[in-house]
Amino acid sequence: MKVVVVGAGMGGLVAALLLAQAGAEVTVLEAAERPGGKLHQVAVGGALIDGGPTVFTMRGVFDGIFAAVGTSLEAHVRLEKLDVLARHAWQDGSQLDLFAEPARNVDAVAAFAGGAAARGYADFARRARQIFELLDHSFMRVPQPGLFGLMRRAGPGVASISPFDSLMDELGKYFSDPRLRQLFGRYATYCGSSPYEAPATLMLIAHAEAMGVWAIEGGMYALAKVFCELAQARGAKFVFGARVKNVLVSGGKVAGVATEAENFAADAVVANADFSSIDAGYLGPEAQRALFGMMKGAKKSLSAVTWAMTGTAEGFPLAHHNVFFAPDYKAEFDELRGGKVPERPTVYVCAPQGKGEFFCLVNAPANGAAVDETVTANMLSQLQRCGLRLQAGAVVRTDPAAWEQRFAGTGGALYGRALAGWKDSFARPGAKTKLPGFYLAGGGVHPGPGLPMAATSGRIAAQCVLTRR
């Protein structure tokens, strides 16, 4: 069986590995010169700094994939479990760490905001775990489950997870302190969405982090290299610098793909490409027709402005993951909704310890627009108001215009479809399309964005291909 995988992002890499393991003849076509997709490194002042995903969670997803091909995660990457999941700071000087040990979080919240807040946190953590456990096997790992499929698998428990409430409204039931609502509301941005619009089910991300956050020696990009090497060892062929122009069809089903240079015959095609780019016709009219109507009513997720930099940091004790919150969270998302990068943004800083290397990120609208140095000045000023003086050396900045250039047709949206209401969780396309033999993988399709979810999408796509065979 011949399979072409279009795109070597995490979903495509996992699909290629599992299909090659099953004996398929796999060819991966990637427009870039190396694997990874959004999982990539940026060369800055002699250093290589992760310029995409920086948080490694839900390790069990990856353990399962490695086990399926007869090896283990530890055999290929060196992991360090972080004691501090993330450090959070505000302009008033307050600071709150969340820890890998749940009991410490109750104590930390009590010291931060009082006993009532600590009890609210304990209730919130239990609810987040309940939502995660209910949706993990009944929704996230199931191909194209749909609302009725979820209700059938999960039973009456679905009613207990507040599927119709917004995340921020639900957080108000647990936390009166606006800083805590801000902290846990931020999980919506992991899906490129606003906490004022996204469904309360995203509370499950809190539990996903509570199960552990790891740092990877050599950076997150080590994962992309390992998956590529494992797939190649099982016979998968990778062709880089190969931009697919058309999905080929014969007899009403997939027959292969065409690049600028040559055609590749295939019995099945797995497209690990941004859904909106396929919908815009970047993989040709046949692929576009296969997705007809699936983008109806979709709102693009957030984009970002990022900075990969070398330099020095003073005045604030940085952990590996740090968040410096805006003074007015509602105003920040109002600006984003209005198409502006916030003047006083929430800033995420990844700071691998002892390296003098930093990755900073602020949310931005997915309008494909370039930004000027005002955005950099605003970001650094916000950090300084929270106590961190970041002195940059070499810097590489990436804005929505650069993301659009890298991922055409997206406007710079980094997470696919935004979750602007409860229905959007079920509106993401699954692996199967209207064209027999044409499948989808990646963070823009079910079960959603983030490395574990993208990896899961690749596994689902591989299962669908093999089942069809």
Side-chain angles (χ1 to χ4, degrees):
M1 182 184 195
K2 290 185 177 181
V3 182
V4 168
V5 177
V6 180
M10 181 53 66
L13 289 169
V14 170
L17 172 59
L18 295 175
L19 288 166
Q21 175 73 19
E25 184 181 332
V26 178
T27 302
V28 182
L29 304 176
E30 169 56 53
E33 297 302 323
R34 55 188 59 84
K38 295 183 179 72
L39 184 63
H40 70 287
Q41 288 181 319
V42 181
V44 187
L48 289 173
I49 299 174
D50 284 324
T54 58
V55 182
F56 186 72
T57 60
M58 295 182 67
R59 175 181 168 171
V61 169
F62 297 94
D63 284 331
I65 294 167
F66 277 80
V69 297
T71 185
S72 67
L73 187 58
E74 296 93 333
H76 300 278
V77 296
R78 183 171 295 180
L79 300 169
E80 176 192 358
K81 191 171 185 178
L82 299 178
D83 178 47
V84 176
L85 303 179
R87 180 160 291 159
H88 308 85
W90 289 263
Q91 289 183 199
D92 62 4
S94 57
Q95 179 181 315
L96 176 62
D97 289 354
L98 291 182
F99 298 96
E101 186 181 338
R104 292 180 68 186
N105 289 330
V106 175
D107 293 339
V109 171
F112 177 79
R119 291 187 291 275
Y121 170 77
D123 291 341
F124 165 80
R126 282 191 291 270
R127 186 72 172 284
R129 177 172 184 167
Q130 175 194 16
I131 294 172
F132 182 93
E133 291 178 345
L134 183 70
L135 296 181
D136 186 20
H137 289 282
S138 63
F139 182 74
M140 291 188 285
R141 302 189 192 219
V142 177
Q144 295 171 300
L147 176 59
F148 294 110
L150 170 61
M151 293 173 66
R152 185 174 64 253
R153 291 179 179 90
V158 171
S160 68
I161 61 174
S162 302
F164 307 118
D165 297 329
S166 76
L167 177 59
M168 196 58 83
D169 284 345
E170 187 69 11
L171 291 174
K173 300 175 183 178
Y174 299 95
F175 305 112
S176 61
D177 191 310
R179 297 170 301 174
L180 293 173
R181 295 197 298 273
Q182 201 174 22
L183 191 162
F184 294 108
R186 182 178 173 272
Y187 287 125
T189 64
Y190 285 35
C191 297
S193 304
S194 164
Y196 298 94
E197 298 176 339
T201 47
L202 291 185
M203 288 166 59
L204 65 83
I205 299 175
H207 182 68
E209 284 201 346
M211 292 191 297
V213 175
W214 285 262
I216 299 177
E217 187 176 287
M220 295 286 287
Y221 187 68
L223 279 176
K225 292 191 291 186
V226 166
F227 274 111
C228 183
E229 291 164 1
L230 288 174
Q232 288 173 320
R234 286 153 180 79
K237 177 185 178 183
F238 283 74
V239 183
F240 296 105
R243 187 175 296 279
V244 172
K245 292 296 185 181
N246 283 292
V247 171
L248 304 176
V249 174
S250 178
K253 62 182 180 180
V254 157
V257 302
T259 69
E260 293 177 338
E262 61 181 305
N263 291 356
F264 294 81
D267 302 299
V269 171
V270 177
N272 179 198
D274 284 272
F275 184 77
S276 57
S277 69
I278 302 175
D279 185 67
Y282 282 91
L283 291 187
E286 297 291 353
Q288 188 179 34
R289 279 193 286 271
L291 273 59
F292 181 76
M294 292 185 184
M295 283 289 285
K296 185 178 181 180
K299 176 182 177 183
K300 287 183 178 179
S301 74
L302 295 172
S303 185
V305 181
T306 66
W307 296 260
M309 65 177 72
T310 60
T312 60
E314 298 177 343
F316 186 91
L318 287 168
H320 192 97
H321 301 294
N322 310 268
V323 184
F324 299 86
F325 281 107
D328 187 336
Y329 216 37
K330 184 67 166 58
E332 179 177 4
F333 284 95
D334 285 344
E335 287 183 271
L336 287 166
R337 189 171 61 251
K340 295 175 55 181
V341 179
E343 185 174 344
R344 289 197 171 187
T346 294
V347 185
Y348 164 74
V349 179
C350 181
Q353 299 302 289
K355 289 192 170 185
E357 299 170 5
F358 309 93
F359 174 76
C360 304
L361 178 150
V362 302
N363 292 313
N367 54 13
V371 301
D372 58 28
E373 281 304 315
T374 302
V375 173
T376 301
N378 289 342
M379 181 271 292
L380 293 173
S381 295
Q382 180 60 20
L383 292 179
Q384 190 157 353
R385 283 189 287 269
C386 293
L388 173 63
R389 296 184 299 279
L390 194 58
Q391 185 66 41
V395 181
V396 173
R397 186 184 69 199
T398 307
D399 60 16
W403 292 119
E404 160 64 22
Q405 184 176 12
R406 186 179 175 94
F407 305 107
T410 65
L414 296 177
Y415 312 87
R417 183 183 189 122
L419 300 181
W422 69 271
K423 291 183 180 179
D424 287 335
S425 297
F426 305 99
R428 286 195 188 99
K432 296 179 182 179
T433 71
K434 298 175 182 179
L435 175 61
F438 184 53
Y439 302 91
L440 305 176
V445 303
H446 175 77
L451 283 181
M453 299 295 98
T456 299
S457 79
R459 188 165 195 171
I460 290 172
Q463 290 169 347
C464 289
V465 172
L466 295 172
T467 299
R468 177 172 178 265
R469 178 181 66 174

